Amino acid sequence: MTRHSLSWAALAATLAVAAPALAHHSFAAEFDINQPVQLKGEVIRMVFTNPHSRIFLKVTTESGEVQEWSIEGGAPNALIRRGWNRDSLPPGTQVTVLGYRARDGSLSASGGSVTLPDGSSLNATDTGVGAPQ
Amino acid sequence: MSQKVPAVAAFILSVSFLFQPLLAQERSRPERIGGKPNLNGIWQAANEAHWNLEGHSAEAVAEFSQALGAIAAIPAGQSVVVGGEIPYLPGALAKRTENRAGWPAADPEAKCYMPGIPRANYMPYPFQIVQGEGDQILFSYTFANASRPVFMRDHQRAPVDLWMGRSNGSWDGDTLVIEVNSNIENTWFDRAGNHHSAAMVVTERFTKIDDHVMQYEATIEDPETFSRPWTIRMPLYRRIEADARLLEFNCVKFSEPLLYGEFMSRDAAAEANQ
């Protein structure tokens, strides 16, 4: 085992938390592929939790209503491999998120691409759970 | 079927070779490894710091006393904080009071969360140090199956905050120095609600006194929580039983009735308690 792979394995082990196993689920169990959604808003905070990371987003609708959305993303280890880190989405960042709405109509979605103010984008897709890639 | 026999034999052979160095270790324990003190072994604190880093009197835990009597009492302990008290900023002191009021349910230990550093080193469970001549030293803890590699090169911050932090190690003479950064804000120091922020950096020093005892020191720097850096100091003792080893303490199931009891049937809760 190379040093590189050992350190990633160790990181993955360190990120593992006891409780959230109960929250692990397939894409189709919670989200609807027929309800794509585009959300423009301000990052409240992002948490790197297993098995899914989460972005909390303040979105103001056309009618002026302020909504708080919860955007579910891939596991921290997957996101870190794609270039995410603790400084990727500081609170207050204006972002555009493409995702799929929850089946239960709640203000939550499975996230895909997250576009930053400078036009660059990061991929938050949850892989391995049947989410559209 | 017969083709599997050599594979099985090879497996048994390789497993027996795997354990041989462990058996040999206690018989001929080298004083030094790669020119550095040999810290290998199973270590444990023998103090009351896991209850409260600061000095405290014995007291009953009222809500458990009726069932457990003196077994549920908290033993008195002297402060392991150099100078006696933790130098909290006013707002952070209020947060400790709030944490204490919420104990034990609010304590990450009750939830079986990985304890973080420094708490993992003085919980009432043994931990193991695995040291070779390579570029990493492994600390493996009984509680919550937590572990941390100590990187002796390639010092850096982790990309995100971690329950056990990122450990960057170096030798200062015969003292192993570990700077632990990238600490998640959710861990506590003890069962008394002592806490920190994600800005915390811990600098640990492990210095052998003899082959059975080492001095452990950890300096806590966290300007968001404390008015100045502060240090804890305590000896750690090596478990010298001939067959000393870490035993499994998978506390997830022990935490479930506390965390999810309201969603569990009485039978399931009873089963988890077994």
Side-chain angles (χ1 to χ4, degrees), chain B residues 1-162:
Chain B
M1 186 70 189
S2 62
Q3 282 177 337
K4 284 185 178 170
V5 173
V8 170
F11 176 73
I12 292 170
L13 213 63
S14 64
V15 167
S16 62
F17 275 120
L18 205 67
F19 283 105
Q20 212 160 24
L22 287 176
L23 297 171
Q25 183 185 310
E26 204 57 50
R27 282 202 296 272
S28 61
R29 187 178 158 80
E31 209 171 293
R32 300 178 82 81
I33 295 177
K36 300 300 176 190
N38 179 5
L39 304 182
N40 277 307
I42 301 205
W43 299 86
Q44 192 167 350
N47 59 31
E48 294 72 39
H50 60 280
W51 283 106
N52 188 344
L53 292 178
E54 295 182 322
H56 57 278
S57 302
E59 63 175 307
V61 183
E63 56 193 295
F64 302 122
S65 290
Q66 198 168 355
L68 291 168
I71 294 170
I74 297 172
Q78 292 174 288
S79 182
V80 297
V81 179
V82 176
E85 284 187 13
I86 301 171
Y88 277 103
L89 293 168
L93 188 61
K95 167 81 173 148
R96 180 178 74 173
T97 306
E98 185 189 321
N99 288 348
R100 277 187 190 175
W103 192 87
D107 188 340
E109 181 186 357
K111 302 173 196 173
C112 184
Y113 291 170
M114 284 188 281
I117 303 298
R119 189 178 190 179
N121 293 326
Y122 49 81
M123 293 182 87
Y125 302 87
F127 66 93
Q128 184 163 11
I129 298 177
V130 182
Q131 173 192 2
E133 291 189 39
D135 60 357
Q136 292 184 19
I137 297 175
L138 178 72
F139 280 58
S140 181
Y141 296 92
T142 297
F143 189 82
N145 300 333
S147 65
R148 58 166 170 155
V150 178
F151 296 87
M152 301 304 285
R153 294 176 216 150
D154 192 24
H155 290 180
Q156 54 179 266
R157 280 182 90 199
V160 300
D161 295 337
L162 307 171

Side-chain angles (χ1 to χ4, degrees), chain A residues 88-104:
Chain A
S88 298
L89 290 186
T93 309
Q94 297 292 327
V95 292
T96 303
V97 180
L98 297 176
Y100 297 89
R101 280 201 76 158
R103 290 178 181 276
D104 67 1

